[in-house]
């Protein structure tokens, strides 16, 4: 039976605050962006067309007259395109500006003309048009939602709570932006240093024209071109061996033992990638910080509409889910966002006056959350400040739980997202699956008492996961040992223990119950868990977790792939196992009456798998 919502005292509800009821919420949800405009589809179309167009675009050959140096305009366009892909998901208005810049560059390069004869260029234009239509539709939908929310709130407007007025957004984003843009600037400076060093040395070097005598690939899979000039042979690394066929002429510059191809004078690709990565991430953080700061200032500027709603914190991801005021069981969420607490500056010293008891309670709560043993967060009455719509920022006031004596003020730190059909509802469906467990009495009703021990073992999907990871493990060992000893072996030493544990668990996990408790077979050992110390049994994150009093929990992970099993219309085997174990825990009359013999207790597969991995590694070394 669900607990009633935690009430919000009348003194914390501004006079005249309207309840956001189900009919108004449904109209608001109906105005949400359509499925076709979800950012995932536009991103897939845009990325696929870009990859195709780049792969099909002819590459200009490197020549002495037009050497392959640093293409600053090209790097700038790469930054714009990558930022646009990110903004399509997060910032529709900035994404429109990014698309306009990208299409301008496309036109300058003659892309519109080539689109008439090149399918890849035409596909990019169509994807850009589809993306633009999706972005405009999302902005229009946000406008409609804003209008419906204002109508539901009515004429009442209230100033923000004092704590929310001191809340500042964007500080971390600005710090990260400064650091990353500094990294980008350092990368650009290094690129210019490499180019200037080449130009300075080439100016005093001897310019020669030679003949390409050989093309080969060294042990590190790097293409090498050999040029004979002035009676000497010179070897150069090349990124474009097709530009230097054997027998062709190649210009070089020589200064003592130093020599370089005129067509490929230097290699600064590493610094160029650093500059691009730093620019993209730095500008993304900067845009997020500016946008967050503008939105928070807009909230503080004038009195805001208010709505009386219900809220609940997500048990698995910390999101705040908002429900209609007349949905006391929290069955139909309206929107969600992430939030942080806001505190009045003059109240900072009050925390120390509560003594150590409050700190101990909070520490206990954090410990329960980390162990996954905390109860589902309650549904709470709240007051929303601000106009909710897709992409907005809002503030709400509510009690954290029924034991609180003071309300908390929380400000959104991510944009509001409506809960709609399809992709946007996945998070809440996952939330509803994990927290409201099936009634234990219902599960127990379908079980019959048994004298013999009961056993649940890995099957189907769990073993498929194990076999897939076993192939990854074998491939990783081959790839690491294929080359001579190097730092790549460090990755093998770090990752192999985790892989062995995961594979062994997925392939052979087992739980056996008898009259005295559970036999839990993991990767490395079989553990005995008596009934009288078990506090909980739950399925979490594709694993089964058994809580024990005054001791750490026993966990089996992974035990399958619940997401895929549900998508295929099947009840996940591990979820059913956890439910039946919970039923046996709460209904002792259903437990087996006999002890489990040694043959039913299981055998860990970790040690044999270690031996198998060692044999495979030895075989790889012998074969290579």
């Amino acid at each position: 039976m669900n607990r009633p919502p935690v009430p919000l005292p009348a003194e914390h509800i501004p006079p005249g605050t309207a309840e956001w009821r189900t009919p108004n919420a449904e109209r608001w949800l109906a105005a949400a962006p359509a499925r076709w405009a979800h950012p995932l589809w536009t991103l897939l179309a845009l990325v696929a067309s870009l990859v195709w167009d780049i792969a099909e675009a002819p590459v200009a050959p490197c020549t002495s007259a037009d050497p392959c140096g640093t293409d600053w305009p090209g790097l700038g366009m790469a930054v714009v395109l990558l930022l646009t892909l990110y903004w399509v998901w997060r910032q529709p208005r900035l994404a429109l500006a990014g698309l306009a810049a990208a299409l301008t560059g496309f036109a300058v390069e003659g892309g519109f003309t080539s689109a008439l004869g090149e399918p890849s260029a035409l596909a990019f234009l169509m994807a850009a048009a589809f993306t633009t239509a999706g972005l405009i539709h999302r902005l229009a939908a946000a406008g409609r939602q804003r209008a419906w929310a204002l109508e539901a709130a009515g004429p009442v407007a209230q100033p923000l709570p004092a704590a929310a007025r001191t809340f500042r957004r964007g500080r971390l984003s600005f710090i990260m932006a400064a650091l990353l843009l500094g990294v980008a600037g350092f990368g650009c400076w290094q690129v210019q240093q490499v180019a200037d060093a080449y130009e300075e040395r080439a100016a005093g070097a001897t310019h020669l024209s030679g003949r390409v005598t050989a093309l080969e690939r060294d042990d590190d899979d790097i293409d090498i071109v050999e040029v004979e000039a002035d009676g000497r042979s010179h070897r150069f690394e090349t990124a474009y061996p097709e530009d230097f066929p054997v027998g062709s002429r190649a210009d070089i510059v020589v200064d003592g033992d130093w020599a370089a191809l005129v067509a490929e004078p230097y290699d600064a690709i590493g610094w160029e990638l650093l500059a691009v990565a730093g620019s993209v991430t730095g500008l993304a953080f900067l845009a997020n910080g500016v946008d967050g700061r503008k939105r928070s200032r807009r909230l503080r500027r004038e009195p805001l509409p208010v709505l009386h709603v219900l809220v609940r914190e997500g048990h698995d991801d910390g999101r705040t889910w908002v429900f209609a005021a007349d949905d006391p069981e929290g069955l139909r969420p309206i929107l969600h966002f992430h939030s942080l607490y806001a505190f009045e500056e003059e109240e900072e010293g009050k925390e120390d006056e509560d003594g150590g008891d409050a700190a101990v309670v909070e520490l206990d709560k954090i410990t329960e959350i980390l162990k996954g043993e905390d109860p589902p967060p309650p549904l709470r009455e709240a007051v929303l400040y601000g106009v909710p719509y897709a992409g907005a920022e809002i503030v709400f006031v509510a009690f954290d739980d029924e034991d609180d004596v003071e309300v908390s003020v929380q400000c959104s730190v991510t944009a509001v997202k409506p809960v709609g059909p399809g992709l946007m509802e996945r998070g809440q469906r996952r939330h509803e699956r994990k927290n409201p467990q099936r009634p234990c009495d219902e599960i127990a009703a379908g079980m019959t008492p048994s004298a013999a021990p009961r056993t649940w073992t890995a099957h189907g999907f769990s073993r498929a996961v194990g076999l897939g990871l076993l192939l990854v493990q074998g491939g990783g060992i081959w790839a690491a040992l294929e080359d001579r000893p190097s730092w790549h072996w460090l990755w093998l030493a770090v990752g192999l223990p985790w892989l062995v544990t995961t594979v062994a668990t997925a392939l052979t996990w087992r739980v056996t119950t008898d009259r005295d408790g559970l036999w839990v077979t993991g990767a490395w050992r079989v553990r005995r868990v008596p009934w009288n110390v078990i506090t909980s049994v739950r399925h979490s994150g594709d694993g089964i977790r058994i809580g024990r009093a005054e001791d750490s929990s026993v966990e089996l992970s992974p035990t399958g792939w619940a997401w895929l099993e549900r998508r295929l219309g099947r009840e996940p085997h591990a979820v059913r196992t956890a439910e039946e174990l919970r039923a046996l825990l709460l209904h002792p009359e259903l437990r087996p009456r006999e002890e489990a013999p040694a043959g039913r207790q299981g055998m860990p597969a970790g040690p044999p798998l270690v031996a198998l991995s060692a044999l495979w590694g030895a075989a790889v070394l012998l074969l290579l």
Side-chain angles (χ1 to χ4, degrees):
M1 183 176 180
N2 291 333
R3 292 179 291 174
V6 177
L8 186 64
E11 61 266 23
H12 295 291
I13 303 177
T17 299
E19 289 188 338
W20 201 5
R21 305 185 70 84
T22 298
N24 290 329
E26 288 179 345
R27 286 195 300 177
W28 186 89
L29 282 171
R35 291 186 183 185
W36 67 266
H38 191 278
L40 177 61
W41 309 129
T42 51
L43 272 177
L44 288 176
L46 202 57
V47 170
S49 63
L50 275 172
V51 171
W52 186 17
D53 189 47
I54 292 172
E56 292 294 324
V59 179
C62 299
T63 64
S64 300
D66 187 16
C68 292
T70 300
D71 182 11
W72 292 110
L75 293 179
M77 184 55 62
V79 170
V80 170
L81 286 173
L82 291 173
L83 277 173
T84 300
L85 294 176
Y86 170 72
W87 286 336
V88 164
W89 192 274
R90 290 289 305 271
Q91 305 275 6
R93 286 184 172 84
L94 290 178
L96 287 173
L99 272 178
L103 290 174
T104 300
F106 188 73
V108 169
E109 295 293 329
F112 288 101
T113 304
S114 63
L116 299 176
E118 296 181 10
S120 60
L122 182 60
F124 171 69
L125 289 179
M126 294 175 63
F130 175 62
T131 302
T132 302
L135 293 170
I136 293 174
H137 173 77
R138 286 163 58 190
L139 292 172
R144 291 192 296 270
Q145 286 185 319
R146 178 181 173 84
W148 286 123
L150 286 171
E151 181 177 321
V156 176
Q158 295 287 332
L160 276 180
R165 288 197 294 271
T166 63
F167 187 81
R168 294 293 182 267
R169 288 269 279 116
R171 292 175 180 174
L172 179 61
S173 293
F174 288 136
I175 293 173
M176 293 299 299
L179 292 174
L180 291 166
L181 290 177
V183 170
F186 177 73
C188 293
W189 178 74
Q190 286 291 344
V191 171
Q192 196 58 50
Q193 287 290 103
V194 172
D196 291 345
Y198 166 77
E199 294 293 342
E200 180 180 353
R201 190 156 191 179
T206 303
H207 289 251
L208 301 174
S209 178
R211 186 174 62 87
V212 177
T213 57
L215 280 174
E216 57 188 46
R217 186 167 293 179
D218 64 10
D219 295 338
D220 294 326
D221 209 29
I222 297 175
D223 290 299
I224 303 294
V225 58
E226 184 175 307
V227 178
E228 185 176 337
D230 197 26
R232 294 178 58 190
S233 290
H234 303 272
R235 294 168 61 84
F236 307 96
E237 295 182 3
T238 176
Y240 304 99
E242 63 274 10
D243 293 340
F244 304 97
V246 175
S248 62
R249 305 295 298 181
D251 295 326
I252 63 174
V253 287
V254 179
D255 183 15
D257 294 335
W258 176 85
L261 285 167
V262 175
E264 291 184 42
Y266 55 86
D267 179 13
I269 185 65
W271 296 117
E272 292 170 356
L273 290 176
L274 180 66
V276 170
S279 298
V280 171
T281 52
L283 291 174
F285 273 110
L286 180 62
N288 288 345
V290 171
D291 182 67
R293 183 63 58 88
K294 287 176 58 179
R295 290 179 186 274
S296 63
R297 286 179 177 173
R298 196 177 303 143
L299 283 177
R300 300 193 301 270
R301 189 178 304 159
E302 56 190 13
L304 301 168
V306 286
L307 285 167
H308 188 192
V309 297
L310 300 175
V311 299
R312 175 189 283 146
E313 299 301 319
H315 193 258
D316 56 343
D317 56 8
R319 291 177 182 172
T320 298
W321 298 85
V322 177
F323 303 82
D326 57 351
D327 184 11
E329 295 185 354
L331 299 177
R332 182 67 173 94
I334 305 171
L335 56 92
H336 62 86
F337 53 88
H338 286 92
S339 61
L340 289 177
Y341 289 96
F343 303 98
E344 293 187 59
E345 294 179 356
E346 61 270 19
E347 293 184 353
E348 290 179 357
K350 292 185 179 181
E351 296 179 6
D352 298 334
E353 299 174 3
D354 297 335
D357 293 340
V360 171
V361 171
E362 290 300 320
L363 181 59
D364 290 341
K365 289 183 178 180
I366 293 172
T367 303
E368 289 178 347
I369 291 172
L370 293 176
K371 289 184 176 181
E373 299 169 357
D374 58 314
L379 199 64
R380 303 169 287 154
E381 289 188 4
V383 174
L384 288 185
Y385 288 79
V387 186
Y389 59 88
E393 299 215 12
I394 54 179
V395 174
F396 72 92
V397 174
F399 278 122
D400 284 343
D401 55 51
E402 59 268 21
D403 299 328
D404 282 348
V405 294
E406 294 186 2
V407 297
S408 63
V409 178
Q410 296 188 46
C411 301
S412 63
V413 292
T414 59
V416 165
K417 292 185 180 180
V419 178
L423 289 169
M424 286 187 288
E425 198 175 12
R426 283 188 307 189
Q428 177 61 17
R429 286 206 304 264
R430 184 172 64 248
H431 168 85
E432 292 173 352
R433 286 198 304 267
K434 288 185 176 180
N435 296 325
Q437 300 166 345
R438 286 202 299 166
C440 190
D441 292 339
E442 176 186 331
I443 300 167
M447 301 176 65
T448 57
S450 171
R454 295 175 180 264
T455 300
W456 295 262
T457 63
H459 84 306
F461 284 91
S462 181
R463 289 174 180 161
V465 170
L467 289 174
L469 291 175
L470 185 61
L471 292 176
V472 172
Q473 176 183 324
I477 293 174
W478 181 288
L481 300 181
E482 183 180 20
D483 205 353
R484 60 183 181 273
S486 67
W487 66 270
H488 294 95
W489 287 27
L490 179 62
W491 291 108
L492 186 64
V494 172
L496 192 57
W498 175 84
L499 269 175
V500 170
T501 301
T502 304
V503 170
T505 303
L507 288 175
T508 62
W509 67 266
R510 173 191 290 256
V511 179
T512 300
T513 61
D514 60 16
R515 69 183 185 187
D516 297 322
L518 310 182
W519 295 95
V520 183
T521 304
W524 303 104
R525 58 177 172 152
V526 180
R527 281 176 282 193
R528 182 60 161 165
V529 188
W531 287 115
N532 59 1
V533 303
I534 300 176
T535 59
S536 64
V537 181
R538 59 183 296 192
H539 179 270
S540 175
D542 283 325
I544 297 173
R545 180 175 295 167
I546 302 167
R548 296 187 294 182
E550 300 180 357
D551 203 350
S552 59
S553 60
V554 177
E555 185 172 3
L556 295 172
S557 180
T559 54
W561 193 356
W563 179 88
L564 182 58
E565 291 178 72
R566 288 192 178 98
R567 293 305 183 275
L568 296 178
R570 301 182 180 183
E571 183 181 18
H573 177 62
V575 173
R576 183 68 179 180
T577 298
E579 291 175 344
E580 293 182 354
L581 289 173
R582 192 182 312 114
L584 292 178
L585 174 65
L586 300 178
H587 294 268
E589 69 277 5
L590 295 176
R591 299 173 188 170
R593 296 186 295 274
E594 299 176 359
E595 290 187 6
R600 295 286 298 272
Q601 296 171 12
M603 179 186 301
L609 194 57
V610 169
L612 179 63
S613 301
L615 290 174
W616 172 244
V620 170
L621 291 174
L622 291 174
L623 291 172
L624 295 177

